[in-house]
Amino acid sequence: MLHLPAEFEQFHWMVDMVQNVDMGLVVINRDYQIQVWNGFMTHHSGQQSHDVLGKSLFDVFPEIHQAWFRMKAKPVFELGCRSFITWQQRPYLFKCRNVRPITQQVNFMYQNVTLNPMRTPSGEVNSLFLSIQDVTAEKLVTAE
């Protein structure tokens, strides 16, 4: 049996977690180019990672209002603080189909999104990652 260094094994685990966590994870740089696209996003958006990596977020998802999103991202890049988008503000950032069989009363996934800074070892924020939660069931409960 091949014995791998602990660091390599941990890296492999991290990649596996990012790809399989039940939450969308997307990394974009300051030019709004997509750097990471996890399995959740592939499954729910229908966009394959090889089709979106290196492309502009706004080209791939023209429904995202550029000026508004840049305003949400600015404090993340400039101040290194988090920014939030809730489904009450906007039902979704990425128009993804609703794939939950119990909550098929709506055609798209309601989302809560957190924009998180990603710091380099020197402390600069050159990228941010978006964590996207499916809150469709929560929205439907509050609507009742």
Side-chain angles (χ1 to χ4, degrees):
M1 181 173 205
L2 179 65
H3 180 69
L4 300 173
E7 296 83 13
F8 182 79
E9 190 172 8
Q10 287 177 349
F11 175 76
H12 178 73
W13 288 345
M14 293 297 289
V15 169
D16 197 38
M17 283 189 295
V18 165
Q19 285 304 318
N20 294 298
V21 68
D22 194 27
M23 170 182 284
L25 297 174
V26 178
V27 174
I28 59 173
N29 63 18
R30 284 184 175 266
D31 295 324
Y32 298 91
Q33 293 172 322
I34 300 168
Q35 305 295 298
V36 171
W37 189 257
N38 78 338
F40 178 97
M41 292 304 294
T42 296
H43 175 70
H44 291 283
S45 73
Q47 297 279 352
Q48 298 295 317
S49 61
H50 62 268
D51 291 328
V52 301
L53 293 178
K55 294 190 177 159
S56 165
L57 182 70
F58 306 117
D59 289 344
V60 178
F61 293 94
E63 70 269 17
I64 298 175
H65 187 269
Q66 280 194 49
W68 172 83
F69 186 78
R70 288 175 187 272
M71 181 189 69
K72 295 298 278 186
K74 185 175 181 176
V76 182
F77 284 124
E78 301 300 322
L79 303 174
C81 61
R82 288 180 168 178
S83 185
F84 302 92
I85 304 166
T86 65
W87 68 266
Q88 292 97 336
Q89 294 170 319
R90 276 182 196 247
Y92 57 84
L93 180 62
F94 299 96
K95 189 163 187 181
C96 296
R97 65 189 190 281
N98 179 23
V99 296
R100 295 184 185 238
I102 296 172
T103 58
Q104 286 298 328
Q105 299 134 323
V106 295
N107 294 325
F108 57 86
M109 175 197 304
Y110 283 78
Q111 300 161 4
N112 283 344
V113 180
T114 305
L115 290 74
N116 303 278
M118 296 185 73
R119 296 189 185 281
T120 65
S122 65
E124 295 175 83
V125 178
N126 294 326
S127 299
L128 63 80
F129 79 90
L130 302 148
S131 54
I132 299 99
Q133 288 183 286
D134 178 357
V135 293
T136 307
E138 175 187 323
K139 188 274 182 215
L140 292 173
V141 168
T142 61
E144 293 177 355

